Amino acid sequence: MQQKLFATPQEAAMSGFSARYCRVVATAVDGDDGYVVVDTGSDGHPYLYGGAVKREAGGWSDGTSGNGDGWISSGDLEEEIGAYALWGEAPAGADAVRARWRGDVRETLIEHGVYLVAWWRVPCPEDDYPSVTEFRIDGNWVTAARSPLLDKYRPPSSH
């Protein structure tokens, strides 16, 4: 059975989701590979879900997806390469994110309050993973460890 193809990466990622309840919040594309994050939550209560998409002859198809960032195989098991997509909610007022992995620093604009940074055609990480280092808020780079959004998820100090 042939997989359904779509005109855009966003349409492929929305396959199986109702546009009435979900919306695309971030997209990254490199050649024939793409990654799309959708918000499946209710108003004011986002629930992010991301998935890989691939361009084939005639359009885009949806691929592996899930509710957390990480590495996704490109499907070529002989080479064991894929994409690493790092994504999540950004702090209020942030318009860009800076992330680092294996000495490579990337800056990406934030879309709809969500960041998405991707590394393409890379081997699966074994013990070294990408991380957000800073957010740009009001024109200033703020260390992610001091981000107000991230602070609310930190457990209280035991001291």
Side-chain angles (χ1 to χ4, degrees):
M1 183 168 113
Q2 186 172 353
Q3 188 168 13
K4 184 172 180 181
L5 297 178
F6 299 87
T8 68
Q10 295 85 352
E11 289 175 16
M14 287 290 291
S15 174
F17 290 105
S18 169
R20 181 176 177 190
Y21 301 107
C22 303
R23 67 186 180 106
V24 172
V25 291
T27 304
V29 174
D30 185 63
D32 293 334
D33 299 310
Y35 197 90
V36 179
V37 179
V38 299
D39 180 357
T40 63
S42 59
D43 288 341
H45 301 286
Y47 185 85
L48 302 179
Y49 192 84
V53 294
K54 186 122 184 112
R55 185 182 357 236
E56 302 175 21
W60 289 88
S61 64
D62 61 331
T64 304
S65 59
N67 62 354
D69 57 5
W71 184 83
I72 295 176
S73 171
S74 66
D76 187 348
L77 298 178
E78 289 179 22
E79 293 185 47
E80 294 186 8
I81 60 169
Y84 198 106
L86 177 65
W87 53 268
E89 277 186 79
D95 68 351
V97 63
R98 190 177 282 160
R100 176 185 304 272
W101 189 33
R102 298 177 175 163
D104 181 30
V105 177
R106 302 212 172 168
E107 292 179 8
T108 304
L109 295 177
I110 291 170
E111 302 176 63
H112 309 288
V114 174
Y115 63 87
L116 169 58
V117 184
W119 284 263
W120 308 99
R121 290 170 289 288
V122 294
C124 182
E126 295 179 17
D127 59 0
D128 179 29
Y129 300 93
S131 63
V132 169
T133 57
E134 298 166 286
F135 290 101
R136 188 174 62 197
I137 302 173
D138 296 327
N140 300 305
W141 287 101
V142 178
T143 302
R146 293 193 339 237
S147 163
L149 178 73
L150 299 177
D151 286 344
K152 79 178 190 179
Y153 296 109
R154 239 182 235 107
S157 175
S158 60
H159 295 48

